[in-house]
Amino acid sequence: MREYLLTLCVTAAVTYLLTGPVRKFAIVAGAMPEIRARDVHREPTPRLGGIAMFFGLCAGLLVADHLENLSDVFANSNEPRALLSGAAVIWLIGVLDDKFEIDALIKLGAQMIAAGVMVVQGLTILWLPIPGVGLVALTSWQGTLLTVALVVITINAVNFVDGLDGLAAGVVCIASAAFFLYAYRIWYSYGIEAAAPATLFAAILMGMCLGFLPHNMHPARIFMGDSGSMLIGLVLAGGAISITGQIDPDVMNLFSGSERNTVHQTVPVFIPLLLPLTIIAIPAADLVLAIVRRTWRGQSPFAADRGHLHHRLLEVGHSHSRAVMIMYFWSALISFGALAYSVNSGAMWIVLGIMGLSAVGLVLLLLPRFTPRTPRWAESFVPPRYRRSRVVAASPEAAEAVPAGAFEAGVFAEEDGAPEDRTPVAAGVSGVNGATAIGARSRFLDRRKAGSSR
């Protein structure tokens, strides 16, 4: 575990330290596209954050190769080299797209090529554990097609969810944390060396996301761009492919006792089929809904719109930060819920706990305008948005300066002790009472006329 933590910390440190220089390079290189109708941010922001993340990946693999225990992963398996080769291909295409806006079909072809590069070097699905059937061996073509499909779906799912500051990096970090715990348990508890590469990939992926998040949290100073979102999507898929079909039930000694106990004990054998889906459940749901929504309107599935889950959360009234936290919550609930079930599938408290947390998540979705207030004695220690405020009447001169519709929004607020002749501020202005980054509700465009993620 210490070597995995060391690899994670080195990856995070390299990514964090390189993101600042990469931001300056992106500004000089002109990788700062103009604000589009579908964008949430208000100011041009440099991209190419994937450059720092890629070098963090390289640093993590390099350090792991020189550690005593993790070096066996490189000696016994070619999967780390296969992952690095595929990552280099997808990262290069992402960098070009961040600068020159490559066509969607070209990017799709590049994703297939990157997946093919990994398959050629041995990172592929060999067999599948199917409940009620057992281990089903796949032919070369079947394994290749399934591997390419999983890589492409995961990359695009992560790319679709990259629409708010810190959203994609945070969701993938949560998913990779759950996947790391699962893979480490299989490797350490059962002694299955085939799970070691997946454990290493998950640790490195967590480091990449954690190192980039401080620069990407709202308000973001740099975006990861397609060079980053496609890269972390490929690494996430690489870990799932590495461990899927590599668990031998005979080695785990699960078939013992009664039939019921055997069914419960063999859950870890079949979890690789479900866990890769649960860790990208939120991005995958957004991907499916986007395809259905666009084809229903007679549009291309690659056509951009403003109907993603994070856009809808903002339209409901959630602030930028709160929308991101809600997505974090659901991602953690699904990922760690599946992880807990794989550890003890017979515990009813796990199901009850997931149901209770789901109810809490639904309540949060239904309270978009709830803002916690601190006691008066603690107001001096918290930001102004959490202090108690009182509504004051606005003078006619001040009212003329307020946009139409501001009075209906209840926007004339003033802190206790402030002068009463202060000019009222309209809701939706950035930085006021936790307003969203896209301003007042009236600033939202019709989804049919706008585009999608960054």
Side-chain angles (χ1 to χ4, degrees), residues 393-403 407 412 420-425:
S395 62
E397 294 80 5
E400 293 178 359
V402 179
F407 288 96
F412 299 112
E420 294 190 2
D421 58 349
R422 196 169 170 184
T423 303
V425 183

Side-chain angles (χ1 to χ4, degrees), residues 3-8 10-11 56-75 80 196-197 199-201 203-204:
E3 294 189 351
Y4 284 117
L5 292 178
L6 176 61
T7 303
L8 186 154
V10 170
T11 304
L57 169 66
C58 296
L61 291 175
L62 181 61
V63 169
D65 190 22
H66 288 80
L67 296 178
E68 181 179 357
N69 294 326
L70 295 185
S71 60
D72 294 338
V73 177
F74 296 82
T199 311
L200 175 63
F201 298 162
I204 292 176

Side-chain angles (χ1 to χ4, degrees), residues 27 56 77 95 117 153-154 164 170 206 210 221 226 238 255 291 310 316 323 327 332 352 363 377 411 418 421 438:
I27 295 175
S77 173
V95 170
V117 169
I153 291 174
T154 307
L164 296 180
M206 277 193 291
L210 290 174
R221 301 179 68 248
D226 283 359
F255 300 110
I291 293 176
H310 49 270
V316 169
M327 297 285 281
L352 295 177
V363 171
W377 59 268
V411 297
D421 58 349
I438 54 179

Side-chain angles (χ1 to χ4, degrees), residues 157-429:
V158 174
N159 192 25
F160 270 45
V161 82
D162 183 27
L164 296 180
D165 297 344
L167 180 56
V171 168
V172 172
C173 183
I174 293 171
S176 58
F179 193 78
F180 172 81
L181 294 176
Y182 167 76
Y184 183 80
R185 176 174 176 264
I186 297 299
W187 172 72
Y188 183 78
S189 299
Y190 295 101
I192 299 179
E193 293 296 330
T199 311
L200 175 63
F201 298 162
I204 292 176
L205 183 57
M206 277 193 291
M208 294 165 61
C209 295
L210 290 174
F212 184 73
L213 267 175
H215 299 273
N216 191 233
M217 294 301 292
H218 181 69
R221 301 179 68 248
I222 185 174
F223 296 150
M224 67 172 64
D226 283 359
S227 60
S229 62
M230 293 197 299
L231 175 63
I232 61 177
L234 181 135
V235 177
L236 186 62
I241 293 169
S242 175
I243 201 171
T244 300
Q246 302 296 326
I247 302 176
D248 188 355
D250 295 330
V251 175
M252 298 174 71
N253 194 25
L254 298 176
F255 300 110
S256 61
S258 64
E259 182 179 355
R260 180 177 180 180
N261 291 334
T262 300
V263 172
H264 287 165
Q265 292 173 354
T266 53
V267 169
V269 179
F270 306 120
I271 273 296
L273 287 175
L274 302 177
L275 197 60
L277 299 179
T278 59
I279 59 182
I280 61 167
I282 299 299
D286 197 13
L287 173 64
V288 173
L289 291 175
I291 293 176
V292 172
R293 180 176 62 251
R294 294 166 184 174
T295 54
W296 183 265
R297 294 174 181 171
Q299 300 175 342
S300 168
F302 301 102
D305 61 16
R306 200 184 177 85
H308 290 290
L309 296 178
H310 49 270
H311 289 134
R312 293 179 181 273
L313 287 175
L314 294 178
E315 287 189 359
V316 169
H318 293 285
S319 67
H320 191 293
S321 300
R322 191 176 299 163
V324 172
M325 291 301 172
I326 289 175
M327 297 285 281
Y328 284 178
F329 173 84
W330 284 106
S331 179
L333 177 61
I334 297 174
S335 300
F336 285 95
L339 176 65
Y341 187 77
S342 70
V343 174
N344 189 354
S345 59
M348 182 57 65
W349 65 268
I350 295 177
V351 178
L352 295 177
I354 294 175
M355 293 176 60
L357 291 175
S358 299
V360 172
L362 292 176
V363 171
L364 293 177
L365 290 175
L366 296 175
L367 295 176
R369 297 191 179 279
F370 173 74
T371 302
R373 299 297 181 185
T374 57
R376 293 185 181 277
W377 59 268
E379 287 185 352
S380 59
F381 303 100
V382 298
R385 62 173 295 190
Y386 296 110
R387 301 174 186 172
R388 298 178 184 273
S389 59
R390 56 191 178 90
V391 178
V392 298
S395 62
E397 294 80 5
E400 293 178 359
V402 179
F407 288 96
E408 292 80 356
V411 297
F412 299 112
E414 189 175 289
E415 293 182 17
D416 293 339
E420 294 190 2
D421 58 349
R422 196 169 170 184
T423 303
V425 183
V429 177

Side-chain angles (χ1 to χ4, degrees), residues 77-89 113-124:
S77 173
N78 197 45
E79 292 182 355
R81 300 176 185 84
L83 179 73
L84 183 60
S85 301
V89 173
I113 293 175
V117 169
M118 294 194 301
V119 170
V120 170
Q121 299 189 56
L123 185 55
T124 183

Side-chain angles (χ1 to χ4, degrees), residues 37-127:
R38 65 178 183 265
D39 289 331
V40 174
H41 57 285
R42 283 183 162 181
E43 299 179 357
T45 306
R47 296 182 179 180
L48 294 178
I51 295 179
M53 303 179 81
F54 177 76
F55 282 105
L57 169 66
C58 296
L61 291 175
L62 181 61
V63 169
D65 190 22
H66 288 80
L67 296 178
E68 181 179 357
N69 294 326
L70 295 185
S71 60
D72 294 338
V73 177
F74 296 82
N76 301 329
S77 173
N78 197 45
E79 292 182 355
R81 300 176 185 84
L83 179 73
L84 183 60
S85 301
V89 173
I90 204 67
W91 170 75
L92 180 59
I93 296 298
V95 170
L96 295 177
D97 180 67
D98 289 340
K99 172 60 179 176
F100 302 107
E101 295 286 342
I102 298 177
D103 184 74
L105 291 177
I106 297 179
K107 288 194 294 183
L108 180 62
Q111 295 167 9
M112 294 181 178
I113 293 175
V117 169
M118 294 194 301
V119 170
V120 170
Q121 299 189 56
L123 185 55
T124 183
I125 300 176
L126 302 178
W127 60 79

